[in-house]
Amino acid sequence: FFEYPEPQKGDINYDGINYPGVKMSYDLTRDEIIFVTPTTNLNIKLISQKVNWFYLQDHLFINIREDSNTIHLREAGFYELAYQGFYDVLLKRKKRLEQSSREDNVSKFVQYTNYYARNGDIYYTIDSKRSLLAICKDKKKEVATYMKKEKLDFKKDPGNVIIKTIDYYTQLKN
């Protein structure tokens, strides 16, 4: 699950209706929301297509449905909206069970994060410093200088570097 193994309080928009302060979990392996009923503590898997967005642990997740504009995304589903500006920064978090080939090693869940920038209905994959600079092509020199000055290392902390760089690019565009 996202962040904590037990359900957390959050807000959700389900089938166009806002439900504040409900207990839920976000299953990163199945990309599903598990709602916990308040009186009986039953776990109910929500229909993902009816979830428009949810807010959990100070993170806003939006449901991006598959259409012709999402061809650069690996899959439809829930994406964290980490930054809003000239480009929105989206994170797709997934967990997979990594099986150990040795009997004495325990299998474990490993989390992966893919990064995207969105401008209107167009999505760009960001998987390197080069791809980040490519979407800032009209201000590439200024952005590269900023990244060097701020000592932003894409390999060490890609999420933070992307957000800071896109924020700087947004300021340049305004």
Side-chain angles (χ1 to χ4, degrees):
F1 294 106
F2 177 71
E3 301 253 328
Y4 297 98
E6 64 277 341
Q8 302 295 309
K9 280 198 174 191
D11 303 335
I12 190 166
N13 180 284
Y14 187 78
D15 207 17
I17 301 170
N18 292 338
Y19 296 93
V22 297
K23 285 179 89 177
M24 63 181 156
S25 297
Y26 174 32
D27 183 340
L28 292 172
T29 58
R30 294 189 175 107
D31 201 31
E32 298 173 339
I33 305 301
I34 309 299
F35 168 75
V36 180
T37 60
T39 53
T40 57
N41 275 339
L42 290 175
N43 291 337
I44 299 173
K45 180 180 82 163
L46 298 179
I47 300 168
S48 294
Q49 293 85 347
K50 292 188 175 197
V51 176
N52 295 311
W53 57 262
F54 64 95
Y55 192 74
L56 192 61
Q57 298 300 319
D58 296 325
H59 299 267
L60 173 62
F61 292 86
I62 58 175
N63 193 353
I64 298 181
R65 291 159 178 95
E66 199 166 331
D67 64 21
S68 60
N69 296 318
T70 60
I71 57 171
H72 289 32
L73 296 175
R74 293 194 174 148
E75 60 189 302
F78 297 112
Y79 286 75
E80 180 179 349
L81 181 58
Y83 176 82
Q84 287 184 281
F86 185 78
Y87 284 101
D88 295 337
V89 176
L90 301 165
L91 286 68
K92 180 63 176 166
R93 300 175 189 270
K94 283 294 254 184
K95 281 190 180 179
R96 279 184 253 165
L97 183 62
E98 299 283 326
Q99 300 285 350
S100 175
S101 58
R102 295 178 32 197
E103 283 185 37
D104 57 340
N105 282 354
V106 179
S107 298
K108 60 183 176 185
F109 283 98
V110 178
Q111 183 168 314
Y112 299 92
T113 306
N114 294 311
Y115 304 92
Y116 302 91
R118 174 178 70 180
N119 182 282
D121 289 335
I122 309 298
Y123 295 84
Y124 304 89
T125 300
I126 304 174
D127 55 8
S128 65
K129 179 180 176 182
R130 181 183 215 174
S131 61
L132 177 58
L133 289 172
I135 66 170
C136 305
K137 60 183 167 238
D138 61 328
K139 304 280 185 191
K140 185 176 180 177
K141 186 176 180 181
E142 295 96 320
V143 171
T145 302
Y146 166 78
M147 290 177 76
K148 188 173 184 176
K149 181 181 145 221
E150 295 295 315
K151 298 178 179 149
L152 299 177
D153 187 346
F154 187 91
K155 289 182 181 179
K156 284 186 182 176
D157 189 8
N160 197 32
V161 169
I162 292 167
I163 291 169
K164 285 183 175 182
T165 303
I166 295 294
D167 181 55
Y168 181 74
Y169 179 69
T170 298
Q171 291 172 37
L172 290 174
K173 296 292 279 182
N174 290 337

